[in-house]
Amino acid sequence: MAVTIKEVNSTKLIKDFVNFQYKLYRNDPYWVPPMKKDEEKALSPDTNPAMEFAVSKFWVAYRDNKPVGRIGGIIIPARNEKTGERIARFTRPEFIDDEEVANKLFDTVTSWAREQGMKTLMGPLGFSNLDHQGLLIEGHEWIAAVASDYHFAYYKKHYDRLGFEKEIDWLEFRITFPEALPEKSFRVADLLRDRFKLRSLEFESKKELDPYKEQIFQLFNKAFTELFGTYELPDKVINFYIDKYYPILLPQYVKLVVDENDKMIGFLIALPSLSKAMQKAGGKLFPFGWYHVMQAFKKPDEMDLMLTGVIPEFQKRGVAALMMNDLWRTANKAGIKYVETTAMLENNFVAIQMWKSFDHIQHKKKRCFKKEI
């Protein structure tokens, strides 16, 4: 039967949109399911404040009344005003390996983008760089990190066939932490602290970390605002991400650096790997998902480096390396040997250079595609 497209405009269609990926990847050992509730909240203006500042639509493709694909479209006026471009983002594309399905989905989002006066279609990208972004094109034999995405290898052939071209890549690395760091790294860290009158902050409880949570996300806004695809997030959106991510943070894995006036100049957020725990949880924390997450926290052997941010004037002064020293101490004490980085832009040479101090491999690559429409 022919493929039909339905716009997501009801609770049932939101569930069809969200649930499709769980059916598509249910037998794949490398896919890590996100939290279903978080995915549903992202599609509703009642729960996602980014929709106040963006134009968006989502669609589900059906064949024989069964979902066979999905896609969304997002326009960020603030980003387009910043760059002077007319770009629409396509987001959350998932589909069976079928040309008709892929064609229908991309034709739908392309027609919508043209109706909005856009000239370029780009993606996969989300509402911000804390949202889903990039298509996995290398590293399909590695389990996904919880802050990253996994896709089937066949997707790229459809992007190529449909005329999409590379815009930019993100790289992911796997770091092997040594049993001991060179003494030189600690001397350099001490010199950096003395020269710029910096202090490292570490935490044992959420109570200690709480006063800094809003500063972390405000600094994120400053540190990332000039990177590809970013724009200054409104306060409502920042609070949305605080509510989403802050509850799962472990204070011991959050490292901050402040200056002599207690102004935050850098943060690093890591977390024991939750990939296998989330696979067992199946996208739900209740009734048993929390148990698997807590077990992963108790006996970690791998860690995900979630976010690192430094204010622009300190980005080439070794602050990130200073925080990595602090993180190494925590990881070493916990018996963690391997670290998965989340995606970093291929032209972010300062961040990439940092991994050369460690035994590492670049094992995953994600791509943003574009097409003139």
Side-chain angles (χ1 to χ4, degrees):
M1 289 185 66
V3 176
T4 59
I5 301 289
K6 293 183 180 180
E7 181 184 336
V8 175
N9 56 13
S10 69
T11 300
K12 178 191 180 302
L13 287 166
I14 287 177
K15 289 188 178 298
D16 280 358
F17 187 99
V18 169
N19 289 336
F20 175 70
Q21 62 184 317
Y22 295 84
K23 296 175 183 177
L24 186 67
Y25 291 103
R26 65 179 177 269
N27 295 319
D28 193 289
Y30 304 111
W31 181 68
V32 174
M35 288 289 102
K36 284 188 177 182
K37 288 297 182 184
D38 287 343
E39 295 296 290
E40 291 173 2
K41 287 179 180 178
L43 301 182
S44 172
D46 294 334
T47 49
N48 184 358
M51 288 187 170
E52 294 182 30
F53 311 99
V55 181
S56 60
K57 276 195 179 183
F58 301 89
W59 301 269
V60 180
Y62 295 85
R63 181 183 281 150
D64 296 329
N65 294 318
K66 295 180 180 179
V68 290
R70 70 180 206 183
I71 202 165
I74 299 172
I75 298 170
I76 311 289
R79 176 65 187 175
N80 285 346
E81 290 169 9
K82 176 180 174 180
T83 62
E85 299 169 300
R86 286 188 280 176
I87 292 175
R89 304 175 172 202
F90 65 90
T91 190
R92 296 161 168 81
E94 302 281 6
F95 47 87
I96 63 173
D97 188 6
D98 183 289
E99 288 190 8
E100 183 185 11
V101 174
N103 291 351
K104 281 274 192 178
L105 289 168
F106 280 97
D107 284 348
T108 298
V109 71
T110 298
S111 295
W112 171 80
R114 286 178 181 147
E115 290 169 2
Q116 303 299 315
M118 300 298 107
K119 297 296 185 182
T120 305
L121 188 63
M122 186 180 292
L125 292 168
F127 288 99
S128 78
N129 59 333
L130 289 175
D131 197 4
H132 300 282
Q133 61 179 12
L135 176 79
L136 184 70
I137 61 170
E138 292 179 11
H140 297 90
E141 71 279 17
W142 292 88
I143 190 171
V146 293
S148 191
D149 291 299
Y150 181 85
H151 304 101
F152 285 128
Y154 65 73
Y155 281 12
K156 186 177 181 298
K157 72 179 181 183
H158 290 285
Y159 283 55
D160 293 340
R161 178 181 59 79
L162 290 166
F164 285 93
E165 298 178 346
K166 172 186 172 180
E167 173 65 9
I168 199 166
D169 286 346
W170 291 270
L171 308 178
E172 297 185 27
F173 297 83
R174 183 173 176 84
I175 313 301
T176 302
F177 266 167
E179 292 296 324
L181 289 183
E183 191 62 34
K184 179 182 176 182
S185 67
F186 295 108
R187 290 201 304 270
V188 170
D190 289 339
L191 287 171
L192 180 67
R193 291 188 185 94
D194 291 342
R195 180 180 179 185
F196 297 109
K197 298 180 181 179
L198 306 179
R199 288 190 301 119
S200 293
L201 300 184
E202 301 191 58
F203 309 93
E204 292 298 326
S205 69
K206 276 284 183 70
K207 184 178 180 180
E208 294 174 348
L209 182 60
D210 281 346
Y212 297 95
K213 64 180 180 182
E214 290 185 5
Q215 291 184 59
I216 289 172
F217 283 87
Q218 292 291 346
L219 193 152
F220 166 86
N221 233 1
K222 294 178 182 178
F224 288 82
T225 190
E226 296 303 319
L227 295 181
F228 167 78
T230 61
Y231 59 100
E232 188 168 350
L233 300 179
D235 288 343
K236 283 186 178 181
V237 178
I238 289 176
N239 290 332
F240 171 76
Y241 287 121
I242 291 174
D243 292 342
K244 179 178 180 179
Y245 293 114
Y246 189 73
I248 67 168
L249 297 186
L250 290 185
Q252 299 91 327
Y253 293 86
V254 177
K255 309 301 178 184
L256 306 182
V257 173
V258 298
D259 66 13
E260 59 184 326
N261 299 313
D262 287 331
K263 176 187 174 184
M264 190 185 302
I265 65 166
F267 70 86
L268 182 153
I269 300 174
L271 200 65
S273 174
L274 296 179
S275 295
K276 293 178 181 178
M278 294 297 282
Q279 286 181 329
K280 293 175 182 177
K284 296 180 180 179
L285 286 179
F286 300 101
F288 304 114
W290 268 115
Y291 171 79
H292 299 301
V293 170
M294 296 311 296
Q295 289 299 109
F297 283 164
K298 287 180 181 178
K299 299 178 181 179
D301 55 3
E302 295 189 13
M303 177 170 62
D304 290 344
L305 184 58
M306 311 289 281
L307 272 177
T308 304
V310 179
I311 60 174
E313 54 266 41
F314 274 87
Q315 285 178 358
K316 295 182 180 180
R317 294 181 176 178
V319 173
L322 189 159
M323 293 186 292
M324 280 298 295
N325 281 6
D326 296 336
L327 182 64
W328 174 84
R329 289 193 184 94
T330 300
N332 189 258
K333 183 178 179 181
I336 294 172
K337 187 172 183 180
Y338 300 105
V339 183
E340 291 274 332
T341 74
T342 44
M344 56 189 66
L345 290 164
E346 62 182 342
N347 58 8
N348 189 351
F349 303 114
V350 174
I352 292 171
Q353 182 70 25
M354 185 167 62
W355 308 130
K356 294 186 178 180
S357 302
F358 299 95
D359 180 12
H360 70 282
I361 57 171
Q362 187 261 299
H363 62 323
K364 298 176 188 174
K365 182 183 291 186
K366 297 197 300 181
R367 178 162 293 173
C368 176
F369 294 83
K370 72 174 181 180
K371 181 180 179 180
E372 301 307 312
I373 58 174

